[in-house]
Amino acid sequence: MADYVYGPGRTHLFVPGPVNIPDPVIRAMNRQNEDYRSPAVPALTKILLEDVKKIFKTTSGTPFIIPTTGTGAWESALTNTLSPGDRIVSFLIGQFSLLWIDQQQRLGFNVDVVESDWGRGADLDVLEAKLRQDTAHTIKAIAIVHNETATGVTNNLATVRKLLDAYRHPALVLVDGVSSICALDFRMDEWGVDVALTGSQKALSMPTGLGIVCASPKALEASKTAKSVRVFFDWKDYLKFYKMGTYWPYTPSIQLLYGLRAALDLLEEEGLDNVIKRHTRLGTATRLAVEAWGLKNCTQKEEWFSNTVTAVVVPSYIDSGEIVKHAWKRYNLSLGLGLNKIAGKVFRIGHLGNLNEPAVSHYAIRCLEVMLKEERQAFAAFRSGFKVLDSRSQKPSERPACFS
């Protein structure tokens, strides 16, 4: 790749996934393959399935650990609970909710899209109106992204449940918790979530490769009559092998299972509530830094602020993609690009997973302060007609190339 520049030292990941992998997880995965039909792997899996329920805060849910990504987990949630033509109310608030909606449409569901400006949360007033009008219960599911990674927006799931209960509506609640579960407050049982899902490369701080889905008893019951075609993601196959005590309908990733064991042990050691508090501190500190820089948060209201990712709006004279590029080339610092309609307008700071305060404040924030200062100085000099950087090539009519 022409833009690739090797930089000595460790790359510092501050994208909102994949995230830094802690050393105990790396060590746990450093092992040979094993026969997954041997007694050891089912014994490991049995305990994992019980312990992974804790990250969803459920006692009644049934988890599925699937060798896939979040996109596969999406498909698993949809095809196991719904039939083609079923009406889904789905909220479009950013790139990842857009992609999930695209999947819903391609799978043949009748998707009732509720769109908000990017930077705003799901419009729950519209949801209330739809529930009030839907006396025939044609809405079969509500699909919502808990934390929209593209814009740094967190939605209020408790309110979704309150609305459904207020109108005694039986719709299933399907939640993408890819960038929220294990970092933000998530209460599957209390909020009446029917299917929740996450990915191993986010707050679990593992490599990509596991899609973890948890289904409520209501969702399992719905799966018995759902007519969507599914093979690889069919919960029925998993449940069959659960009953047999072998757990796996096909070959799992042995190394990722041991990595998951280590990741869950770390969460248990710190305490999930403490993990959530730590992410609150990291999110708050990052937003305060953005405010001190004189920049705006893409998220338009405090009630939607995310504690796992902050999307920063840059001045119109700056291409945010150049900031991301420069951070990589100069500091080995990986930041998130602006996606789709906000490409070039925002960059994203991920502060989730195995991170502490010094990592965020002393490295990511400090590096960004230096880069933004350089950019502003260059632009100020350019506007004043001064020579900037290379006087032999810089012309008054050109944008300063301080990120070249």
Side-chain angles (χ1 to χ4, degrees), residues 220-255:
L220 288 181
E221 191 63 29
S223 71
K224 296 176 182 178
T225 55
K227 294 180 172 56
S228 293
V229 174
R230 66 263 192 194
V231 179
F232 184 74
F233 297 117
D234 198 336
W235 295 348
K236 182 173 64 177
D237 293 341
Y238 274 91
L239 293 171
K240 173 184 174 182
F241 282 84
Y242 287 4
K243 189 174 182 179
M244 292 169 57
T246 52
Y247 295 100
W248 294 102
Y250 35 67
T251 309
S253 170
I254 300 299
Q255 289 76 14

Side-chain angles (χ1 to χ4, degrees), residues 47 61 84 98 113 115 263 284 292 320 327:
I47 299 172
L98 173 66
V113 179
E115 186 169 2
T284 301
S320 65

Side-chain angles (χ1 to χ4, degrees), residues 313-326:
V313 180
V314 300
S316 59
Y317 60 85
I318 296 178
D319 178 353
S320 65
E322 292 298 310
I323 291 178
V324 174
K325 181 179 177 181
H326 187 57

Side-chain angles (χ1 to χ4, degrees), residues 173-206:
V173 179
L174 313 180
V175 177
D176 170 347
V178 170
S179 63
S180 66
I181 290 170
C182 295
L184 307 182
D185 189 20
F186 190 90
R187 310 177 194 181
M188 183 171 178
D189 286 354
E190 183 178 331
W191 294 340
V193 174
D194 292 298
V195 185
L197 60 97
T198 190
S200 55
Q201 79 280 13
K202 298 287 187 174
L204 273 168
S205 299
M206 291 176 58

Side-chain angles (χ1 to χ4, degrees), residues 49 62 148 235 299 313 328 338 346:
L49 288 171
T62 299
E148 173 54 68
W235 295 348
T299 310
V313 180
W328 163 258
V346 309

